[in-house]
Amino acid sequence: MKTFCGRANPTIGSMEWLEEGEDYDYHQEIARSRYADMLHDKDRNVKYYQGIRAAVSRVKERGEKAIVLDIGTGTGLLSMMAASAGADFCYAIEVFKPMANAAVKIVEKNGFSDKIKVINKHSTEVTVGPDGDMQCRANILVTELFDTELIGEGALPTYEHAHKYLVQEGCEAVPHRARVYVQLVESKRMWSWKKLFPVRVEAEDGEKILVPPSEMENCPGVPSVCDIQLNQVPSSDFTTLSDVVTMFSVDFSKPVQSASTYYRVQLEPVKSGKAQIVLSWWDIDMDPSGMINCTMAPYWALYINPFQWRDHWMQCVYFLQNEEPVLQGEKLLLTACRDEYSVWYNLQKARVKPGPVCRCRAHLLWNRPRFGELNDQNRTRQYTMALRKVLKTDSVCLCISDGSLLPVLAHYLGAKQVQYFVLFLHCFFKANHLEDKIKILEVRPELLKPSHLEDKKISVLVGEPFFTTSLLPWHNLYFWYARTAVSTHLASDVTVLPQSASLHMMVVEFQDLWRIRSPCGICEGFDVQTMDDMIKDSLNFRESKEAEPHPLWEYPCKSLSDPQEVLTFDFTRTVPQHCLSTEGSVNLLRKGKSHGAVLWMEYHLAADISVSTGLMQIPNEKGNCEWNPHCKQAVYFFSSVIESEILSDPTAVTYAINFDTKTGEIAMDFKLL
């Protein structure tokens, strides 16, 4: 069966309708899943196995049969652990059909078909009774339903239903309990992901300060958690204002309530400062005694063992609705509010505030890295220097970017007339008394008419470029297509900023990120090769061969080759009709495992002024990399990995990259020699 799927093309700015097979969405979900990452999480696997063995033993010691309910079984790993530990029977529930089919094969391959029944349903649809999916209620409940926020995948309503309808009263649960921890901090870097700071511009008539409008300044933001690899945030980037405290806990062996509620703890600040951020993480006890513990704590809160890297569970950054001054030793209350799926925090408030809802629209248009990018004064300085080089007092300027401050910079730096396509910044212009200085164009670039420009030709076309629909670095080449669409409105001697862009690549060895794409094979003694094959098939599916976006400041890697420019895009000219292609090779200069290639864009604003969306400087002699913290880079994982040794004949990676100018898509192929 075929179906037509609508897909936005971020590079050329159009909607495409493609005929796809019925398994198209399955392939996408499997290819982008984190199943392999979870199975490579040794700490998680070992602790679950220990907890399951202990739970089965406790039930057996009571003289009962051990009947296990495993909700969200995935590969069937936890059910196989239970069967291996002596459970009499396991009901393994998996709602995602391809995964359920794989679990059936994996269970059979490992010889547990007589002990494990895989049920392809949502747990709330499972029936119990002689003619039901389960013959009887279970007395051991095993689940792995957690995300970085603990409850974001619907763990609470799932547990609530299971206790009512699927498990016995007083059942054993693995994990037995969870605790959520919090720490209050001040952090200019993290706060810059929520608030737009005043922007300083050095103009000819002195310093200008752009201030955010009151709607933006007082906006509580959006309710979604910011989940990051907190271990990659340097300790110098935040100041701890409180000790780590337990915010709330959940006992999974007893009936669970999913209804909205709140929790309060008293904090005694250890330092005075501005309370801005609540850092949070959780741990789980696999057994009632708490002897088998799995923690998500960051390095500064984990005093004994080195932390376990994992990408399926990270740490949480929550933004208070407003920053509040706190004094050392002066007690205050922190309130955590939660619904079924999310948590938010308030400080020192008598009444519980509702969850934050963006009123200024900026938090809907800009994601958190974009806020950080706009608050980067060094980056603003680069654009200011470039604009100074190209603007004249009679310049008629047009800006093509989403939610950009470039029109304001252009006005302050002397442009006679500034036009802009984006509506939402009207409140920003008004707050800075610029509403009659910058004209907002309410049309798409391809629909622009001379009357919109008062029959004037554009002498300076500017862009960052940044567009909210972009996922991969080259998606922002939409600027080139928009520039082409407005070409009839440009003066013959138009200046385009940036004047060009270039695509760069480098071969790297990842410290840990490779785990999300590495086959597992055998996991805790169980053969899960079937899952590896399923993921490989989906990765080989047409669209899934592409590179994928990752914020590499969170994922350390070592460069094995020098960075290399592979394609250039000339914005002074319109998009050509022919494809842009390149082939070449890079030598591997260092010992290491070549996990993949990282690709990024560099924009050449003016002579000697460029900004990079990827590598911020040439790697040092050890190959350590510093990545742009405001952008995601593209990672192309190699299908096979080789370990390079420094030999007289160095190993190389060949590449072939093709940019289809009609579709805006980049196809790439890499071979390890």
Side-chain angles (χ1 to χ4, degrees):
M1 179 179 171
K2 297 284 187 178
T3 184
F4 280 99
C5 297
R7 186 180 70 169
N9 186 316
T11 310
I12 64 175
S14 67
M15 176 66 78
E16 300 171 341
W17 292 93
L18 303 174
E19 190 178 52
E20 303 289 3
E22 61 181 344
D23 57 352
Y24 172 76
D25 286 339
Y26 289 166
H27 280 298
Q28 301 309 297
E29 185 164 346
I30 294 167
R32 288 160 176 76
S33 70
R34 289 292 186 269
Y35 291 119
D37 173 42
M38 289 188 285
L39 295 183
H40 280 295
D41 188 342
K42 180 74 174 174
D43 179 65
R44 163 193 175 271
N45 300 338
V46 168
K47 300 290 176 57
Y48 260 101
Y49 210 168
Q50 291 173 346
I52 288 169
R53 285 196 192 101
V56 171
S57 294
R58 289 194 297 274
V59 170
K60 293 284 191 179
E61 285 169 5
R62 297 198 293 264
E64 302 174 20
K65 283 188 173 184
I67 308 299
V68 175
L69 172 62
D70 173 10
I71 301 179
T73 194
T75 59
L77 177 66
L78 302 185
S79 287
M80 292 190 294
M81 287 179 174
S84 180
D88 293 277
F89 201 78
C90 303
Y91 295 101
I93 300 174
E94 176 56 52
V95 69
F96 185 41
K97 187 173 180 61
M99 201 68 238
N101 293 341
V104 170
K105 294 175 184 176
I106 291 170
V107 165
E108 182 179 2
K109 192 173 185 179
N110 286 274
F112 293 110
S113 293
D114 60 333
K115 288 284 189 80
I116 299 173
K117 178 184 179 181
V118 178
I119 303 170
N120 178 211
K121 285 185 177 181
H122 195 284
S123 64
T124 56
E125 298 172 345
V126 170
T127 56
V128 180
D131 299 320
D133 300 306
M134 298 170 60
Q135 290 292 297
C136 62
R137 289 186 178 227
N139 53 11
I140 299 176
L141 175 57
V142 177
T143 63
E144 206 278 61
L145 300 169
F146 314 116
D147 67 349
T148 293
E149 202 173 15
L150 183 70
I151 65 172
E153 291 186 2
L156 296 180
T158 301
Y159 270 111
E160 185 174 42
H161 177 272
H163 276 286
K164 284 182 180 177
Y165 303 107
L166 304 178
V167 298
Q168 298 175 13
E169 184 178 351
C171 72
E172 300 287 345
V174 182
H176 179 80
R177 75 175 66 84
R179 283 176 296 262
V180 173
Y181 299 90
V182 294
Q183 186 171 35
L184 197 63
V185 305
E186 175 181 347
S187 172
K188 183 177 180 180
R189 179 184 180 186
M190 289 186 245
W191 196 238
S192 77
W193 299 342
K194 182 194 176 186
K195 293 286 187 181
L196 185 65
F197 301 158
V199 180
R200 300 179 182 275
V201 183
E202 290 293 338
E204 284 190 4
D205 54 346
E207 184 182 65
K208 306 284 188 182
I209 300 178
L210 311 174
V211 295
S214 58
E215 303 100 296
M216 200 179 292
E217 188 67 17
N218 299 321
C219 184
V222 289
S224 58
V225 66
C226 177
D227 54 340
I228 63 171
Q229 294 282 357
L230 204 49
N231 289 300
Q232 298 307 318
V233 177
S235 57
S236 57
D237 277 358
F238 61 94
T239 301
T240 56
L241 301 180
S242 79
D243 292 328
V244 176
V245 299
T246 303
M247 192 72 228
F248 64 91
S249 62
V250 184
D251 186 336
F252 297 123
S253 68
K254 298 176 181 177
V256 172
Q257 300 296 319
S258 66
S260 298
T261 188
Y262 67 91
Y263 313 90
R264 282 206 175 110
V265 296
Q266 189 176 74
L267 298 178
E268 185 171 325
V270 296
K271 191 174 290 188
S272 298
K274 296 176 183 175
Q276 299 168 325
I277 305 291
V278 176
L279 303 181
S280 180
W281 56 90
W282 49 266
D283 69 5
I284 43 179
D285 290 332
M286 297 297 183
D287 65 323
S289 70
M291 297 297 291
I292 309 169
N293 179 265
C294 185
T295 180
M296 308 308 119
Y299 66 89
W300 66 87
L302 194 62
Y303 303 110
I304 304 172
N305 299 316
F307 69 89
Q308 164 75 38
W309 185 88
R310 38 175 76 96
D311 201 44
H312 53 107
W313 297 328
M314 295 186 277
Q315 293 82 35
C316 301
V317 174
Y318 293 97
F319 304 91
L320 293 175
Q321 295 194 22
N322 296 101
E323 65 180 11
E324 298 188 33
V326 298
L327 296 175
Q328 181 178 348
E330 189 175 282
K331 293 183 174 64
L332 49 88
L333 288 176
L334 180 68
T335 303
C337 309
R338 71 148 180 83
D339 55 23
E340 289 184 352
Y341 298 97
S342 60
V343 182
W344 60 96
Y345 287 86
N346 299 313
L347 189 64
Q348 279 184 317
K349 299 297 179 186
R351 63 186 182 87
V352 178
K353 280 188 176 182
V357 176
C358 176
R359 298 188 295 264
C360 71
R361 294 177 60 194
H363 299 91
L364 305 177
L365 181 68
W366 297 333
N367 59 21
R368 276 133 186 173
R370 177 60 171 167
F371 268 95
E373 187 171 56
L374 292 172
N375 284 321
D376 186 337
Q377 195 65 36
N378 290 330
R379 181 178 180 276
T380 299
R381 199 173 295 117
Q382 293 285 91
Y383 279 92
T384 302
M385 289 166 50
L387 284 168
R388 275 205 199 97
K389 287 178 178 284
V390 302
L391 288 176
K392 301 173 184 176
T393 54
D394 62 347
S395 291
V396 178
C397 185
L398 175 64
C399 178
I400 302 176
S401 273
D402 281 350
S404 176
L405 303 183
L406 288 187
V408 185
L409 298 185
H411 169 72
Y412 281 152
L413 294 172
K416 178 182 178 182
Q417 191 173 328
V418 183
Q419 331 262 355
Y420 193 28
F421 278 111
V422 174
L423 273 170
F424 121 88
L425 280 180
H426 180 74
C427 63
F428 190 93
F429 299 153
K430 187 176 180 181
N432 290 277
H433 311 292
L434 299 170
E435 61 266 44
D436 60 339
K437 307 292 185 184
I438 298 171
K439 182 180 179 182
I440 297 172
L441 303 173
E442 301 182 38
V443 293
R444 288 179 55 84
E446 61 270 20
L447 300 177
L448 190 65
K449 297 177 181 177
S451 58
H452 292 125
L453 303 173
E454 299 172 3
D455 294 318
K456 293 180 180 176
K457 293 289 187 180
I458 300 299
S459 59
V460 180
L461 180 69
V462 301
E464 297 191 37
F466 170 84
F467 301 97
T468 55
T469 53
S470 299
L471 295 174
L472 292 162
W474 46 86
H475 287 166
N476 285 318
L477 286 174
Y478 172 68
F479 175 78
W480 200 13
Y481 289 84
R483 175 257 182 271
T484 301
V486 302
S487 58
T488 58
H489 305 287
L490 306 180
S492 57
D493 59 347
V494 65
T495 298
V496 182
L497 185 158
Q499 58 193 19
S500 64
S502 51
L503 178 67
H504 296 249
M505 66 151 284
M506 187 170 70
V507 179
V508 303
E509 174 186 46
F510 284 108
Q511 182 175 302
D512 294 296
L513 189 62
W514 60 270
R515 300 173 195 273
I516 70 171
R517 287 290 168 265
S518 179
C520 188
I522 303 296
C523 181
E524 301 307 314
F526 302 101
D527 186 339
V528 294
Q529 180 67 43
T530 300
M531 183 212 65
D532 293 335
D533 294 340
M534 181 180 71
I535 292 176
K536 185 178 179 181
D537 287 345
S538 289
L539 287 170
N540 287 335
F541 194 68
R542 170 179 49 78
E543 189 175 279
S544 304
K545 289 182 179 180
E546 297 174 348
E548 52 191 72
H550 291 283
L552 292 188
W553 73 267
E554 295 184 53
Y555 303 104
C557 61
K558 178 177 75 172
S559 70
L560 300 186
S561 74
D562 283 334
Q564 186 152 322
E565 180 182 298
V566 291
L567 273 181
T568 58
F569 311 92
D570 184 357
F571 297 156
T572 65
R573 301 177 181 275
T574 57
V575 177
Q577 293 297 306
H578 59 85
C579 293
L580 303 178
S581 300
T582 184
E583 294 183 357
S585 66
V586 290
N587 290 332
L588 301 184
L589 307 175
R590 297 179 182 89
K591 293 182 180 180
K593 294 182 178 179
S594 50
H595 290 129
V598 177
L599 300 101
W600 66 94
M601 299 290 289
E602 290 189 8
Y603 294 101
H604 311 292
L605 307 183
D608 303 323
I609 303 177
S610 296
V611 293
S612 171
T613 67
L615 205 60
M616 300 303 288
Q617 59 186 28
I618 299 296
N620 62 20
E621 66 279 358
K622 293 183 179 179
N624 296 330
C625 305
E626 180 186 345
W627 299 101
N628 186 322
H630 312 308
C631 302
K632 289 185 178 181
Q633 292 73 41
V635 178
Y636 189 103
F637 288 99
F638 297 153
S639 56
S640 60
V641 174
I642 60 168
E643 189 159 359
S644 56
E645 304 289 340
I646 301 301
L647 303 171
S648 56
D649 184 17
T651 309
V653 173
T654 64
Y655 60 84
I657 297 175
N658 180 75
F659 177 63
D660 187 332
T661 56
K662 288 185 174 58
T663 65
E665 294 180 351
I666 289 184
M668 57 190 76
D669 186 45
F670 296 91
K671 289 187 172 60
L672 300 166
L673 301 181

